[in-house]
Each structure stands twice: as structure tokens, then as C-alpha cells.
Amino acid sequence: MRDPAIVARELLGKLVVRFLSRRVSCMIVETEAYYGPEDPASRARRGGDLAKVMAGDVGVALIFGVHGNWLLNVVAHEPDNVGAILIRACEPIEGIKVMIKNRGVNDVKSLTNGPGKLSRALAIDKRFHGLPLYTREHGLWIEYFKDVGNDEIVRSYRVGVSKDLPVKLRFYIKGNPYVSKK
DNA sequence: CGCCAGATTGACT
DNA sequence: GTCAATCTGGCGG
């Protein structure tokens, strides 16, 4: 695979699909890249199961809970390296009613504009930890949706991280109303 | 085994 | 603006 920052850029505009009673999906509009132990904000730093999955097969889900929320990551890194992409926000496409039901709110714009919200809307939890996202067998996968031009993408520093690297590792689609707010 | 911190959210003062 | 909920791994006793 490739560098997490490259993959983070390429994930924008892709579709996260969750099969519940029917297709429920949303388009990725915001991502962040995380590296291995050299990244002070990375969970791989702490070792344990998270680090193993992050260093393992690419294209699998890495689920991890913080402050009572589940965060969805996709493992991606160069050979013999460690890294993952955090899916921070997405735009509801299919099955919006299901997401509203899962989230318990009526406002579509605040349905999936944050990592924890997104996970709840798509009923994602620890069960998906370590499962591949390139097959449909587990009811959660990523597929092509549309191309996003370079002029539509903005880079910035990561959000919510106490110790960030001096590199812009957050990518989001310019002007998209579903990008998480600061 | 208890306590702490962290890639968050939302309810309450 | 403040604060607690909820989960995992590191660290100290």
C-alpha cells in the first residue's frame, strides 16, 4: 500500500456502505492520516492490539473507542510500515431514514459530521475491528463513488489532537456542509 | 486492580 | 462555557 496521507486524500469522495435491512451509505468528506510510533497522536504508540492491526493487513477496519464513541479507521501504510486513516465525517447518501433512527436526531446535517456520529449512524462498533473493508461479506465496505478534484480539497492540521506533527494530515472537501466543525 | 488520558459528543449551567 | 459518559491500554501499588 501507500503512504497514509496519499490514501487519506484518495478516500475523499468514496462511499462507505453499510448493509442493514438495505443499503445505508455516505460519502467520505473528511479524513485524517495517522502513522506509527513516531506519530505522537497515534494509538499505535501505545502498542497492544491497535498497534498490531495498524501494522497488519491494509484495507481492514480499525475500530477504537474514545470518550464513549467509536471511531472508524482504515488501515493503510507502506510495506513494513504502520499507519491508518481516520474517517472523520461523511455525507449521507442512501438510507438516511435508517441513520436518523440510529442517531435519534432529526437534523440530517448533524447526522454524520463527526467520527463518533458517523459510527453510530452506520451502526459500527467493535465487532468490525480487524475485518476487511474490501469485501461485502461483513456488511461494511468501501466503494467508488465519484472523483474529487484537487481544487476541491483542503489540507489542514489534525483536529482534536493534543500533540500533532508539523505536517498537514487532515483532508476535507471544500465547502461541504457535512465536514465536522471546530 | 485502580487510576489516568485520549483521534468526542451532547446536555446542562 | 463546563462537564460527564464510556472503552482500551499503560503504568503504579
Side-chain angles (χ1 to χ4, degrees), chain A residues 78-154:
Chain A
E78 298 173 300
D80 299 321
N81 220 321
V82 181
I85 320 299
L86 165 67
I87 312 286
R88 274 195 70 81
C90 63
E91 172 180 342
I93 304 292
E94 300 171 276
I96 293 180
K97 279 189 195 161
V98 177
M99 295 192 230
I100 289 176
K101 182 164 166 285
N102 287 340
R103 291 270 294 115
V105 297
N106 251 24
D107 182 18
V108 176
K109 278 182 281 309
S110 54
L111 222 43
T112 55
N113 63 333
K117 296 177 180 178
L118 175 161
S119 301
R120 284 195 52 188
L122 297 180
I124 293 168
D125 58 39
K126 194 80 212 291
R127 299 194 315 270
F128 291 96
H129 182 58
L131 298 184
L133 295 172
Y134 45 82
T135 62
R136 301 186 172 194
E137 61 182 300
H138 299 107
L140 176 69
W141 67 93
I142 291 175
E143 65 183 46
Y144 174 81
F145 187 56
K146 71 168 193 181
D147 290 317
V148 180
N150 281 325
D151 55 341
E152 294 181 79
I153 294 179
V154 183

Side-chain angles (χ1 to χ4, degrees), chain A residues 1-5 7-8 11 14-16 28 31-34 53-54 56-64 71-77 82-88 128 130-134 140-142:
Chain A
M1 242 317 185
R2 292 153 294 171
D3 189 284
V7 181
L11 279 175
K14 293 240 176 348
L15 215 54
V16 177
I28 300 172
T31 58
E32 281 177 10
Y34 285 84
V53 175
M54 251 175 119
D57 294 335
V58 298
V60 307
L62 182 138
I63 311 293
F64 146 18
L71 308 221
L72 172 62
N73 298 253
V74 183
V75 177
H77 54 77
V82 181
I85 320 299
L86 165 67
I87 312 286
R88 274 195 70 81
F128 291 96
L131 298 184
L133 295 172
Y134 45 82
L140 176 69
W141 67 93
I142 291 175

Side-chain angles (χ1 to χ4, degrees), chain A residues 5 8-9 12 29-31 153-155 168-172:
Chain A
R9 152 72 181 86
L12 294 177
V29 298
E30 182 180 3
T31 58
I153 294 179
V154 183
R155 291 187 66 151
K168 295 181 176 178
L169 294 173
R170 174 176 175 238
F171 300 77
Y172 61 95

